[in-house]
Amino acid sequence: GGSDDDDDLLCRTGNFISTSESLPRGILEMKSCLPANQERLADGKLSTVQFHPSAQVVMTAGRDRSVSLFQVDGIRNPKIQSIYLESFPIYKARFSADGEQVIATGTHHKMFYVYDMMGGSIIPVHQVRGMEDKFVKNFEVSPDGSFMLLTGTSGYLHLLSMKTKELINTMKVNGRSTASAFTSDGSKIYSYSKEGEVFIWDVRSRKCLHKFEDEGSLEGKCIAVSKNNQYVACGSVSGVVNLYTTDVCLKENNPKPVKAIMNLVTSATSVTFNPTTEILAVASNEADEAVKLIHIPSYTVFSNFPVFRRKQIYLTQSMDFSPRSGFFSIANNKGKALLYRLKHYSDF
């Protein structure tokens, strides 16, 4: 529409009540749209795609040193704005929980950037006091907006205040930490080590509540916790993604997965659940078209994705679902944020 709201970058999409039945297994009804970043395709590897938490907006960031925002209409996806970070190839970018900032880390930097979308300013955070790490690459933002978790070297995890970007506390896993995930209420952190162990931390006390071994994992690569807090998915170097129920993970040292997903033959490098916990997306950045969407709770693969007749995905770098699952996007190494409309879900 041509209403004044369209000018507001963060115009809210409203709380739709979804009355949809549960998602059927087998075939996922989906339509391929123009890439989300069609109006400004990235040069080379697109390291991040993420939907805004409340506005009908998607963000892309990549090795070409830029962060871009697009309005998601599924047709033209008009560009809202782009910022360029001089000599700063982006390793990862994330919206803050309130959607008013973007945090971006580089591929070989100690510093990171905060892009304040409301004020339009780009703020460099040069050195976090009390943090000795030479590089800051991987990080997570807590869903409740309180914290930012930076993965340091040698197993150190640094918990920062989201507000001030100052260090609150440091935790340490045995071995090296490769990936972490906050639970959706922000109360716990699951940290996956290179050695294949998962450490569960209590965010308030910063104490390790429990640790468990990921079955058969030679090396941990990626981890995700479902929004309803029912499942945790662990992806390892062999390509296996183990899906566990969280209640078992919190109690047992050697929990049995409810499903070992064996569809990837190269390293599992990204796992993400859709917001309704009905789809788990798993992918590898080491093989073209290596993405699978798994139906929950049948734990069966949707047979119609990807479409192998024509190469489209290439190497998956990042994946995300929109806040109400209406869209799914895959960032690839060719600079595109591929966009799919999931027809079962009526809303963005």
Side-chain angles (χ1 to χ4, degrees), residues 156-173:
Y156 288 102
L157 294 165
H158 305 293
L159 195 67
L160 275 58
S161 155
M162 192 65 189
K163 214 196 228 95
T164 64
K165 313 294 186 283
E166 289 173 311
L167 184 65
I168 295 171
N169 214 305
T170 295
M171 298 164 287
K172 167 117 174 61
V173 305

Side-chain angles (χ1 to χ4, degrees), residues 71-107:
Q71 192 84 40
V72 183
D73 62 9
I75 302 152
R76 204 170 61 92
N77 309 318
K79 191 183 90 163
I80 297 165
Q81 60 196 144
S82 284
I83 61 163
Y84 180 77
L85 301 173
E86 193 70 48
S87 63
F88 197 81
I90 296 162
Y91 177 81
K92 183 174 184 174
R94 281 290 173 270
F95 283 115
S96 57
D98 62 11
E100 293 180 6
Q101 298 180 338
V102 172
I103 314 282
T105 55
T107 52

Side-chain angles (χ1 to χ4, degrees), residues 47 62-63 88-92 105-109 135-137:
S47 45
R63 298 299 157 88
F88 197 81
I90 296 162
Y91 177 81
K92 183 174 184 174
T105 55
T107 52
H108 48 268
H109 293 76
F135 301 113
V136 167
K137 292 200 324 192

